[in-house]
Every structure is written in structure tokens, then in C-alpha cells.
Amino acid sequence: MCYNIFSYLIKYLQIPVIFFLSYNAYISAQKMSMGFCPPVEPMPYFNMDLYMGTWYQHASIKSLIKALRNCVEYNYTADTHGGFHVESKYTTYRQTKPVVSFGYAKPEQYHGFPQKGAYKLTLFSEKANFTIDHLILNTDYDSFAVEYSCFEFLFFKRQNLHILVRDRLVNTTFVDSQLKETLHSYKLDWLLRYFKPTRQINCTNSFEKNSS
């Protein structure tokens, strides 16, 4: 009897567990805590076309394992359906060859119309594809961007947040001030204590080389 119950639980939880582990492996900017995701809206008047191109991760919420990732970069490419393709790369202290992953961001629907700045981001993995909410909280398109997502699993939520920049080496005072102002406006200031800078030294601008 106990064996049958245990087998049922394993079978029932198999898909969400695989989903959760795959999600954990993909996202490099995360904070897990109990409770539900807060109500967060994307920035108004978001212009996706201006947002496309190469971004570098300036800082993010990181666990000890994720803190070992260096040279994190993203390349966003628009398609004809209102969404965009995502290609991300990073290296580690042990592996200097870039680790590459892919995804696709589809615009959220609001009363039948695409909601600007809010996307369903599908991340592709060898084990399983999975989809998360992906919000653009703030950007000036030329120098910085703040991206946020939140995923609920059982009684927990995993919040993901990072700040992106157009150049690997930037004015940290300006970028950090934009991050603080953005989080304050969304009442997410408490996440600042978990932020760690991303190492962007001795990196190769692979996306720029590929596009040239």
C-alpha cells in the first residue's frame, strides 16, 4: 500500500520536478522564498524594436553556483510575430568555451492585444522546454535595462531579476542608481541585498563577431 502511494507521488511529481530543475539550471538571477509572486507590471510605452540587439549582464541575484558564471551576454532578435528570439552565452572559471542556450519570447495578451513589455519566455532545454513570465521593468534602450520574472512552485516563489547594459564596462554609479530607482518604484527594494556584479573582464564579444 505504502509502495503504491509512493509510486503515485513520484509519477505525479515527475513533470513539475523536471520543470523546476531545468528552470533552476537556466536562470542565473534568482531568489527563492515562500509565498506568491507579487503583482508587477511592465514598463509603459515599451518599444521592442529599440530593445533588440546585444546586452551584457551587469549584475543579478545569484546563488553561490550561479556566481561562478562570467561574461554573461544576451542577443535579442525580433521576428515578424511581435516576439523575439533569445540567445544567451556565459563562461565559467573552469570552462572558458561559452555555454550557449536559446529561447523565444512571445508577447502576453491583454484583452486580445499584445501587452508591450510583457512576454511568455520559453526556454529550450535537452530535458524539457518550459515557459516563464518575463517583464521589462525599465530601460532607456541605449545603456541599461531591468528585467524581472517570477515563478511559483508549490508554496514557494522564485524571483529572477537582473540589470543589463549595452557595454561590458560601464559607469556603475549611473547603472546602480537606475536599478535602485526602478526597484523602489515597484517596491522590490529588498532584493537589492542579494545582488552581485557579473564579471565582464577578458570576455569575447561573440555576438558582435558573429554578426560582422
Side-chain angles (χ1 to χ4, degrees):
M1 179 67 176
C2 292
Y3 175 79
N4 292 335
I5 295 176
F6 180 76
S7 299
Y8 174 79
L9 289 175
I10 292 297
K11 181 178 180 180
Y12 179 77
L13 292 174
Q14 183 178 10
I15 294 178
V17 166
I18 291 176
F19 178 96
F20 182 72
L21 292 177
S22 300
Y23 174 82
N24 181 58
Y26 255 91
I27 302 299
S28 63
Q30 51 191 288
K31 173 59 182 174
M32 189 170 183
S33 58
M34 294 190 67
F36 300 100
C37 293
V40 177
E41 296 292 331
M43 67 175 289
Y45 311 111
F46 175 72
N47 188 321
M48 192 191 76
D49 292 332
L50 296 178
Y51 197 69
M52 297 297 96
T54 301
W55 290 95
Y56 304 102
Q57 188 182 83
H58 173 69
S60 67
I61 303 171
K62 295 183 179 180
S63 62
L64 178 60
I65 295 178
K66 305 304 180 184
L68 299 177
R69 292 184 176 181
N70 307 316
C71 304
V72 181
E73 57 181 306
Y74 301 90
N75 191 51
Y76 298 152
T77 307
D79 68 2
T80 58
H81 303 289
F84 60 90
H85 298 274
V86 179
E87 182 180 359
S88 65
K89 296 183 180 181
Y90 68 88
T91 61
T92 65
Y93 288 100
R94 291 186 177 182
Q95 185 172 355
T96 56
K97 182 179 179 180
V99 178
V100 183
S101 59
F102 300 91
Y104 178 74
K106 180 180 179 181
E108 290 265 25
Q109 296 293 315
Y110 183 75
H111 293 296
F113 296 94
Q115 185 180 13
K116 295 182 178 181
Y119 298 87
K120 288 289 187 181
L121 176 60
T122 300
L123 303 172
F124 305 127
S125 168
E126 293 181 358
K127 295 182 178 180
N129 297 340
F130 49 93
T131 302
I132 59 175
D133 292 329
H134 186 76
L135 305 178
I136 314 300
L137 300 188
N138 193 13
T139 183
D140 65 355
Y141 306 102
D142 296 322
S143 58
F144 81 94
V146 181
E147 297 185 343
Y148 172 87
S149 66
C150 186
F151 165 71
E152 294 178 2
F153 180 77
L154 298 179
F155 305 107
F156 298 90
K157 65 178 179 293
R158 184 178 291 274
Q159 296 184 90
N160 311 288
L161 183 70
H162 60 184
I163 184 165
L164 308 178
V165 291
R166 287 295 192 184
D167 299 303
R168 290 193 188 275
L169 302 179
V170 296
N171 183 333
T172 57
T173 301
F174 169 75
V175 174
D176 292 345
S177 66
Q178 294 299 318
L179 173 63
K180 291 179 181 178
E181 290 180 11
T182 301
L183 295 186
H184 179 72
S185 65
Y186 283 94
K187 298 181 179 180
L188 295 172
D189 310 64
W190 65 276
L191 289 173
L192 282 171
R193 73 186 73 172
Y194 302 104
F195 257 73
K196 300 293 182 182
T198 300
R199 189 173 182 271
Q200 293 284 2
I201 301 176
N202 298 326
C203 303
T204 301
N205 293 337
S206 53
F207 289 129
E208 294 179 7
K209 284 189 174 183
N210 291 339
S211 61
S212 60

